[in-house]
Amino acid sequence: METWEKYFDVMLEVVNKVKTTQQDNIKKAARILADTTRNGGIIYGFGTGHSHLVVDDAFWRAATPANYCALLEQSSTGSFEITKSYEIENTYNIGKIVVDYHRITPNDCMIIISNSGNNIAPVDAAIRAKEKGIPVIAITAVEYSNYLKCKHRDGVKLKDVADVVLDNCSLIGDAAVDIDNFEMKVGSTSSIPNIFLQNAILCEMVDILVKEGFTPDVYYNGHMAFMKPECADHNDKLVDKYFYRIRNL
């Protein structure tokens, strides 16, 4: 078997494990999102390092809810000066500052992504959110998190703080494939199930709301907006609706 095929097989196993083990938690998380949306709240996504890719993926994106806001704290995303960002995401109070700066309220909710669940900033964000009564959904690798020595001075990891924990079933070390005569595994395992999980709970949220007679705000694809004036008008109205509520919009 080719190495690329091994990677496909490992990732299909990971995603299938998520599908078969996380059904209840997906529904619980979607219920939080649905209640937040029905009550006019904002869904805030937060992740540092490579986990920020997950929240960026759902922000102002085709087929995603317009009340989703990505909290992209540039100093901790690794989008630039990436080795410095590791130090930032392990600095105390960064997560607290992000929650407070964006004026997140108990009417809103947070999706916090951290594969290890062990870095300081996402844990601090979860702690601050819970202090303020804000519902927290965690996307993390539970087995990997259990394996790691705890960094946080409070002795907690992300999974210990969140209201709902979605296990991405990522492998210990976040690596997929062994190669003969090469010491380490290659191919990350966390981003794909993280994005699967986030999209799954957003889709389930929309389904819940529609069944309950509530119409959520969802963007059309930009190319559909380019071709169809009614789609462009729909998207423009959603931008106007949320422009002064979502700082990054």
Side-chain angles (χ1 to χ4, degrees), residues 33 43 58 64-65 68 111 197-206:
L33 301 184
I43 301 165
T64 58
Y68 182 100
I111 302 171
L197 277 166
Q198 182 168 252
N199 277 309
I201 61 176
L202 292 173
C203 289
E204 185 70 13
M205 176 202 83
V206 172

Side-chain angles (χ1 to χ4, degrees), residues 187-202:
S188 64
T189 60
S190 60
S191 297
I192 291 170
N194 283 347
I195 291 173
F196 260 80
L197 277 166
Q198 182 168 252
N199 277 309
I201 61 176
L202 292 173

Side-chain angles (χ1 to χ4, degrees), residues 49-86:
H50 287 94
S51 293
H52 91 275
L53 299 170
V54 183
V55 301
D56 208 2
D57 183 73
F59 185 43
W60 198 57
R61 178 74 183 269
T64 58
N67 64 320
Y68 182 100
C69 173
L71 300 179
L72 299 171
E73 174 52 49
Q74 290 299 313
S75 64
S76 67
T77 61
S79 297
F80 59 93
E81 299 176 345
I82 193 166
T83 55
K84 183 182 74 175
S85 71
Y86 175 78

Side-chain angles (χ1 to χ4, degrees), residues 124-164:
D124 267 358
I127 291 172
R128 183 56 171 163
K130 293 304 295 293
E131 289 173 349
K132 300 181 81 169
I134 301 161
V136 175
I137 299 162
I139 301 179
T140 188
V142 172
E143 183 181 7
Y144 187 25
S145 187
N146 288 336
Y147 171 81
L148 296 170
K149 179 181 178 180
C150 186
K151 288 182 179 180
H152 201 282
R153 60 192 174 196
D154 289 352
V156 294
K157 300 172 184 176
L158 179 58
K159 66 182 178 62
D160 302 317
V161 184
D163 296 288
V164 178

Side-chain angles (χ1 to χ4, degrees), residues 46-48 52 70-78 88 94 97-98 101-102 248:
F46 180 60
T48 60
H52 91 275
L71 300 179
L72 299 171
E73 174 52 49
Q74 290 299 313
S75 64
S76 67
T77 61
I88 299 297
I94 295 295
I97 290 168
V98 168
Y101 174 77
H102 288 274
N248 293 340

